[in-house]
Amino acid sequence: MKRLDRSFYVRRIPTLTHIYDDGTRLIVDPKTASWAVVDNMAYNFFQDISIHRYKVIENPSDKIKSCLISLYRAGLVEFENKPRKFSSNLYENVEYPFVFMLLRITNYCNLDCRYCYAKNIPGKTSHQEMDELTAYKAIDLLLQSEINSVGIVFSGGEPLLGGINKIIKIQKYVLKQAKEKRKEIDTAIQTNGTLLSEDTIRILEAHNIQMSISFDILASIHDANRKKANGYDSYEVVHKAMCKVDRLMRTKRDEMRPGFIAVITKEFISNVGDISNMLVNRLWNYGWQFNIIDQIGRGRKNIKNPSAESIFSALRILLEKSLENGRLFNPIRYMLFNILMRERGYMCFRSPCGAGNAMLSIDPDGTIFPCDSFLGRKDFEIGNIHDYNKLSDILNSPVVKLLRQRQVQNIPECSKCIWQHFCCGGCPGDAYAVNGKLLSPSSICRLSQMLFPYLIRKVVEDKRILHLLRVRSERNRYSTA
């Protein structure tokens, strides 16, 4: 930025303020998620600037100049001869393309998890399997996406119950069509790990299928929530599979290294110290996602949600341990990107979200849902994959158009919230399950209100985060405190 004149005109952007316990202020423009952490001097100076007209500032001190430059770079003030750094519309000139399909190879599963989405589907039998023609049709539609890099996840139920041979046959079709269309396709499989023999692991790796394994880390928690369909415990068999994966995949390139998913329940929170220690000793080398249990699926009936405060406390402990070990995990990593970047790369933290806009979930019989959050809900069925020849027709269907209207500014509670464009309203499937309407906040609203100010302060004070994310904040927003 050019040296400021001795006399200049400035005005500020309408903002809201979060006050930390030590009195430090976090100034936020809720419409663009622009922010700055400031001390009392900077805050009082900022508040003295008018929103409606330019204020004349003559002969500013070096400290005032520095403060103004920081506020300008944060997108919170503008000068008369230098417009605001960022557009007032976070999504202006930004299009998020269709990138992803989830193929539910089978509805059948050999586990009976207490928080399962799939086993909450009314009117669906438990033994439906996707045939190859249905999978091929879905892949052909996916490859109509306007971008060159797309993704597929084989899911279920337990997809390996559909047979490894079927999955590999579909994957060969994926690779063949991708080559013909000059597209790149990343393929993954979401598995409970019970059927991962050494041969299966090697076959998946040989065909470029990345593994994502559900594993609740401690035996007591895993066996309480993820029993076999016959009532027996499953931890031992999954743990053995995990050890095989660890031995065979530890040295593989990053894009093929497996990821793990655990669910945050009350039991998880009660044992978070032991969990974090086990992760440090063995498992931080892999990608982790800690799913916050929501109100979709069987979990709504079977599991009482832990409080936002207890989840927040557990995530703080996990974050400290992960930073000590040079790792970050999801969803914290996704939240940090929303804090640091204008782009909303992760479709679940976007407004509107990616359901039906960036992804689709295909049932074994070809029924199309916007995503897994709406599985089995008749009013959110888009149609059948065999009834469509153009991806654009699916993306312009009534269901997808309805979901496109769930923008955070259209949700009454969210439209007034300081964090609206950080969390983006949460999951619409969860909001619909809890409140019976799309235009309502999700069940993690209170948690988001606690996490985002904590993470912003963490970004300012802990330089390890920017290093681990391998990004430089495009907003260049640093503390003036």
Short mmCIF file of all heavy atoms in Angstrom, two decimals, residues 409-435:
data_model
loop_
_atom_site.label_atom_id
_atom_site.label_comp_id
_atom_site.label_asym_id
_atom_site.label_seq_id
_atom_site.Cartn_x
_atom_site.Cartn_y
_atom_site.Cartn_z
N GLN A 409 -27.94 -16.02 4.61
CA GLN A 409 -28.65 -14.77 4.81
C GLN A 409 -30.17 -14.95 4.78
O GLN A 409 -30.92 -14.06 5.20
CB GLN A 409 -28.23 -13.71 3.78
CG GLN A 409 -28.58 -14.04 2.34
CD GLN A 409 -27.48 -14.81 1.63
OE1 GLN A 409 -26.65 -15.43 2.28
NE2 GLN A 409 -27.49 -14.75 0.30
N ASN A 410 -30.63 -16.12 4.30
CA ASN A 410 -32.08 -16.41 4.26
C ASN A 410 -32.56 -17.14 5.52
O ASN A 410 -33.76 -17.39 5.65
CB ASN A 410 -32.41 -17.25 3.03
CG ASN A 410 -32.14 -16.50 1.73
OD1 ASN A 410 -32.19 -15.28 1.69
ND2 ASN A 410 -31.84 -17.24 0.67
N ILE A 411 -31.64 -17.51 6.39
CA ILE A 411 -32.01 -18.19 7.64
C ILE A 411 -32.16 -17.12 8.73
O ILE A 411 -31.17 -16.46 9.08
CB ILE A 411 -30.94 -19.22 8.04
CG1 ILE A 411 -30.74 -20.24 6.91
CG2 ILE A 411 -31.31 -19.93 9.33
CD1 ILE A 411 -29.55 -21.17 7.11
N PRO A 412 -33.35 -16.90 9.25
CA PRO A 412 -33.57 -15.77 10.17
C PRO A 412 -32.56 -15.71 11.32
O PRO A 412 -31.98 -14.65 11.58
CB PRO A 412 -35.00 -16.02 10.69
CG PRO A 412 -35.67 -16.76 9.58
CD PRO A 412 -34.60 -17.64 8.99
N GLU A 413 -32.31 -16.83 11.99
CA GLU A 413 -31.39 -16.82 13.12
C GLU A 413 -29.96 -16.53 12.68
O GLU A 413 -29.20 -15.85 13.38
CB GLU A 413 -31.42 -18.16 13.86
CG GLU A 413 -32.77 -18.52 14.46
CD GLU A 413 -33.65 -19.31 13.51
OE1 GLU A 413 -33.45 -19.21 12.29
OE2 GLU A 413 -34.54 -20.03 14.01
N CYS A 414 -29.58 -17.04 11.52
CA CYS A 414 -28.21 -16.89 11.04
C CYS A 414 -27.94 -15.50 10.47
O CYS A 414 -26.81 -15.00 10.54
CB CYS A 414 -27.90 -17.94 9.98
SG CYS A 414 -28.03 -19.64 10.54
N SER A 415 -28.95 -14.87 9.88
CA SER A 415 -28.75 -13.60 9.19
C SER A 415 -28.29 -12.49 10.12
O SER A 415 -27.72 -11.49 9.68
CB SER A 415 -30.04 -13.18 8.49
OG SER A 415 -31.07 -12.92 9.44
N LYS A 416 -28.48 -12.67 11.43
CA LYS A 416 -28.06 -11.67 12.41
C LYS A 416 -26.80 -12.08 13.17
O LYS A 416 -26.34 -11.35 14.05
CB LYS A 416 -29.20 -11.43 13.41
CG LYS A 416 -30.51 -11.02 12.77
CD LYS A 416 -31.64 -11.03 13.79
CE LYS A 416 -32.99 -10.77 13.12
NZ LYS A 416 -34.11 -10.89 14.09
N CYS A 417 -26.25 -13.22 12.82
CA CYS A 417 -25.16 -13.80 13.61
C CYS A 417 -23.80 -13.31 13.11
O CYS A 417 -23.55 -13.24 11.90
CB CYS A 417 -25.23 -15.32 13.55
SG CYS A 417 -23.91 -16.14 14.46
N ILE A 418 -22.90 -13.04 14.02
CA ILE A 418 -21.55 -12.59 13.69
C ILE A 418 -20.77 -13.65 12.92
O ILE A 418 -19.89 -13.35 12.12
CB ILE A 418 -20.81 -12.17 14.98
CG1 ILE A 418 -19.47 -11.51 14.67
CG2 ILE A 418 -20.62 -13.37 15.91
CD1 ILE A 418 -18.79 -10.93 15.91
N TRP A 419 -21.12 -14.94 13.11
CA TRP A 419 -20.35 -16.04 12.51
C TRP A 419 -21.00 -16.60 11.25
O TRP A 419 -20.61 -17.65 10.76
CB TRP A 419 -20.17 -17.17 13.53
CG TRP A 419 -19.72 -16.67 14.86
CD1 TRP A 419 -20.41 -16.70 16.04
CD2 TRP A 419 -18.48 -16.02 15.15
NE1 TRP A 419 -19.69 -16.12 17.05
CE2 TRP A 419 -18.49 -15.69 16.53
CE3 TRP A 419 -17.37 -15.68 14.39
CZ2 TRP A 419 -17.44 -15.04 17.15
CZ3 TRP A 419 -16.31 -15.03 15.02
CH2 TRP A 419 -16.35 -14.71 16.37
N GLN A 420 -21.98 -15.91 10.70
CA GLN A 420 -22.80 -16.48 9.63
C GLN A 420 -22.01 -16.98 8.44
O GLN A 420 -22.32 -18.02 7.86
CB GLN A 420 -23.85 -15.46 9.18
CG GLN A 420 -23.31 -14.16 8.65
CD GLN A 420 -24.41 -13.18 8.28
OE1 GLN A 420 -24.90 -13.16 7.16
NE2 GLN A 420 -24.81 -12.37 9.26
N HIS A 421 -20.96 -16.26 8.02
CA HIS A 421 -20.20 -16.69 6.84
C HIS A 421 -18.92 -17.45 7.21
O HIS A 421 -18.08 -17.70 6.35
CB HIS A 421 -19.90 -15.51 5.93
CG HIS A 421 -21.06 -15.16 5.05
ND1 HIS A 421 -21.58 -16.03 4.12
CD2 HIS A 421 -21.84 -14.04 5.00
CE1 HIS A 421 -22.60 -15.45 3.50
NE2 HIS A 421 -22.78 -14.26 4.03
N PHE A 422 -18.80 -17.81 8.48
CA PHE A 422 -17.76 -18.74 8.89
C PHE A 422 -18.33 -20.17 8.89
O PHE A 422 -17.78 -21.07 8.27
CB PHE A 422 -17.24 -18.39 10.29
CG PHE A 422 -16.48 -17.11 10.34
CD1 PHE A 422 -17.12 -15.92 10.63
CD2 PHE A 422 -15.12 -17.09 10.11
CE1 PHE A 422 -16.42 -14.72 10.70
CE2 PHE A 422 -14.39 -15.90 10.18
CZ PHE A 422 -15.06 -14.71 10.46
N CYS A 423 -19.44 -20.38 9.58
CA CYS A 423 -20.04 -21.72 9.64
C CYS A 423 -21.02 -21.96 8.50
O CYS A 423 -21.31 -23.10 8.15
CB CYS A 423 -20.74 -21.94 10.98
SG CYS A 423 -22.40 -21.24 11.08
N CYS A 424 -21.56 -20.87 7.92
CA CYS A 424 -22.46 -20.94 6.76
C CYS A 424 -23.78 -21.66 7.05
O CYS A 424 -24.40 -22.21 6.14
CB CYS A 424 -21.75 -21.56 5.57
SG CYS A 424 -20.25 -20.65 5.09
N GLY A 425 -24.18 -21.67 8.31
CA GLY A 425 -25.49 -22.21 8.66
C GLY A 425 -25.52 -23.67 9.04
O GLY A 425 -26.54 -24.18 9.47
N GLY A 426 -24.38 -24.38 8.88
CA GLY A 426 -24.35 -25.80 9.23
C GLY A 426 -25.06 -26.67 8.21
O GLY A 426 -25.50 -26.21 7.16
N CYS A 427 -25.19 -27.94 8.54
CA CYS A 427 -25.73 -28.94 7.61
C CYS A 427 -27.24 -28.79 7.45
O CYS A 427 -27.98 -28.83 8.43
CB CYS A 427 -25.40 -30.33 8.14
SG CYS A 427 -26.18 -31.67 7.19
N PRO A 428 -27.74 -28.66 6.21
CA PRO A 428 -29.19 -28.54 6.01
C PRO A 428 -29.94 -29.82 6.35
O PRO A 428 -31.08 -29.76 6.81
CB PRO A 428 -29.32 -28.20 4.51
CG PRO A 428 -28.07 -28.70 3.90
CD PRO A 428 -27.01 -28.54 4.94
N GLY A 429 -29.31 -30.99 6.13
CA GLY A 429 -29.96 -32.25 6.49
C GLY A 429 -30.18 -32.35 7.99
O GLY A 429 -31.24 -32.79 8.45
N ASP A 430 -29.18 -31.92 8.75
CA ASP A 430 -29.29 -31.90 10.20
C ASP A 430 -30.35 -30.89 10.65
O ASP A 430 -31.18 -31.18 11.51
CB ASP A 430 -27.93 -31.55 10.80
CG ASP A 430 -27.96 -31.42 12.31
OD1 ASP A 430 -27.99 -32.46 12.98
OD2 ASP A 430 -27.97 -30.28 12.80
N ALA A 431 -30.32 -29.70 10.05
CA ALA A 431 -31.30 -28.67 10.40
C ALA A 431 -32.73 -29.15 10.12
O ALA A 431 -33.64 -28.93 10.93
CB ALA A 431 -31.01 -27.38 9.62
N TYR A 432 -32.90 -29.83 9.00
CA TYR A 432 -34.22 -30.33 8.63
C TYR A 432 -34.68 -31.42 9.60
O TYR A 432 -35.85 -31.47 9.99
CB TYR A 432 -34.19 -30.86 7.20
CG TYR A 432 -35.56 -31.17 6.63
CD1 TYR A 432 -36.35 -30.17 6.08
CD2 TYR A 432 -36.05 -32.47 6.63
CE1 TYR A 432 -37.60 -30.44 5.56
CE2 TYR A 432 -37.31 -32.76 6.12
CZ TYR A 432 -38.08 -31.74 5.58
OH TYR A 432 -39.33 -32.03 5.07
N ALA A 433 -33.74 -32.29 9.99
CA ALA A 433 -34.08 -33.37 10.93
C ALA A 433 -34.48 -32.82 12.29
O ALA A 433 -35.39 -33.33 12.95
CB ALA A 433 -32.89 -34.32 11.07
N VAL A 434 -33.82 -31.75 12.73
CA VAL A 434 -34.07 -31.19 14.06
C VAL A 434 -35.30 -30.29 14.07
O VAL A 434 -36.14 -30.37 14.97
CB VAL A 434 -32.84 -30.39 14.55
CG1 VAL A 434 -33.14 -29.67 15.85
CG2 VAL A 434 -31.64 -31.32 14.73
N ASN A 435 -35.41 -29.44 13.04
CA ASN A 435 -36.41 -28.38 13.07
C ASN A 435 -37.55 -28.56 12.08
O ASN A 435 -38.51 -27.78 12.11
CB ASN A 435 -35.73 -27.03 12.79
CG ASN A 435 -34.59 -26.76 13.75
OD1 ASN A 435 -34.77 -26.81 14.96
ND2 ASN A 435 -33.40 -26.48 13.21
#
